[in-house]
Amino acid sequence: MSVDILFLHAGGFNPEGLQGPFFPIGVIGLASFLQQNGYKPLIVNLFLEKILNPELDYKEAVKSYAPSVIGIDLHWFVHCYESVELARLCKEVCPSAKIVVGGLTASQFDTEIMEQFPFIDAVIRGDAEQPLLQYLQYALDTGSDAHHHLENIPNLTYCIGAGTVTRSSKSYRISRDELDQLDFLRFDLLQNWQKTFNLFNADYIPANESQRSNDLNEYYNPELPVKAWILYTGRGCQYKCTFCGGSATAFNRAFERTLILRSPEKIADDILRYNETTPVDIIYMPHSPLITESRFHHKILDSVASKLKERGLKKLTLGFIFEDCPFQVDLEILGRYLQLFDRRKSIFRLYLADVEKKTSDFNHFPVDFKQTQFLLNYLSGRAHVLVGILIGLPGQTRSSTLKMADFARDTRKKGAVVMIYNAELHPGSELIQFPEKYHIKLEVKRFMDYYHYLEQKRDKSMLYGYKANNDITIQEQRQILEKAITPELLN
Ligand code: B12
């Protein structure tokens, strides 16, 4: 089958290293947009394909689609090695196809990527809809003056011949109207789409501590009892958490803006579509009411409730996952969610950095620890709760770690699952941009640091990536906290 543009999600080049089974959900919207404009897109998740067919020859597979453009996502830093190696392979088997990468990480490191890897033809930074459409038109229109064309494509970083890297001066930011026209449920544009729902990230489902092993099949279960997928709510964030590569600061660098949300009606439509037309049991909701204003969420739920009423129904069969730092605690809106969705399936995954305001402020987490405890008491017995404690952050201390351990023990007694995470170093984050401000020493900084780190990795533990000038090491913090949540010590 030949296609105009083949979207590929990488996996399997370093099977023992860090994995990310999912492609960015925005790719479905992108593919739907290109199809609305008369082109033939296809999304292939090679990570999934390799699990379904361990004998799969990537070269043969890629060649068989005879694509004019190959779009590879490089959204999460965990794909810095995988996506580049896939691009290399694609150029080898389809030398005339244009290879373009995009996503958060690619946007942060566009120039370096173009300098290092001549087999990548372009990076699209930030919002990719219009730029990718124009790039596709350029790639299919062989008779044109290439240089002239490329200059006019917004958000594009490219190279002419072996020359210097150029960033087009035009920029594009998607509008709310355009965002509302994208269809994020076009699963028919995805190869083996039904099997996609059998992929899972052990961190999320089931609501348990994750077991990270080196077997790729750990990410796939043909009999998966609970299927989860992502609801598209918008792009970006208004908060400035120092470690986060999806913060307002990081988005500003990559997307030249902070937050854009879809309209509540469109989100409500999608909730109903997931409920009625897909095998999905739980939807993961970014921009949850823990970080986004209640007014927006009331509008979504008003719309869901009225659609349910038209159908003579009172509740959805879906559950939800909220995964956020609890910056807002509004029990009214949370209560409404728990009432309209199936609360027995629903999961709250809360991230906490410290018990002390001083440390939270230093890391720009506008969180009130008392409110968090209030929230946890409310949720106890009402939904599944996971609490992720971030360690290694600048400003954390031995004394605050000990207090955090008490908190972890209490939280666990209330029935929540507690996990401990290294605060990873994300491209574009405040920490990586301004290490001196946070008294940290970076161990990775450039794209090539991430690339080599991931190339050499032989386990699935998380990356930390810097040394903080704290009075306690990250290893000691982990020891203290793990001891506090070991089940035998609970009684
Ligand atoms: C929803 C979400 C998830 C969902 C997945 C959603 C999905 N499939 O898209 C789940 C829960 C599964 C998840 C998992 C992970 N996530 Co996450 N996630 C988010 C969250 C909350 C929102 C993402 C979002 O808004 N996307 C919308 C926009 C930005 O992306 P998009 O529309 O999908 O894609 C657009 C562009 O990126 C670009 N684009 C994307 N792909 C491509 C491809 C091509 C060819 C082109 C041209 C363009 C392009 O064009 C699209 C449309 O314009 C962000 C937080 C945040 N504030 O952003 C974290 C975030 C992106 N995740 C993060 C991380 C680290 C992870 C994990 C690696 C965690 C882990 N350590 O295991 C995993 C990896 C998952 C995987 N690959 O399997 C970090 C990323 C930092 C970084 N630079 O790497 C963030 C910033 C949050 C955080 N603090 O941890 N995540």
Side-chain angles (χ1 to χ4, degrees), residues 7 9 20-27 30 71-73 75-79 100-105 124 126-129 132 201 203-204 212 230 232 234-237 243-246 251 255 284 286-287 323 424 426-427 462:
F7 288 98
H9 180 65
F22 301 113
F23 56 85
I25 176 132
V27 169
L30 268 177
I72 300 174
D73 61 87
H75 189 58
W76 294 279
F77 74 83
V78 295
H79 296 107
V100 47
V101 300
L104 262 176
T105 299
I124 292 180
D127 291 319
E129 282 72 13
L132 191 56
N201 184 334
D203 281 356
Y204 298 92
R212 285 163 179 263
I230 303 106
Y232 206 90
R235 288 177 194 162
C237 185
F243 79 97
C244 181
F251 260 90
F255 285 65
Y284 177 106
H287 307 110
E323 184 201 26
E424 299 167 305
H426 291 168
M462 310 289 257

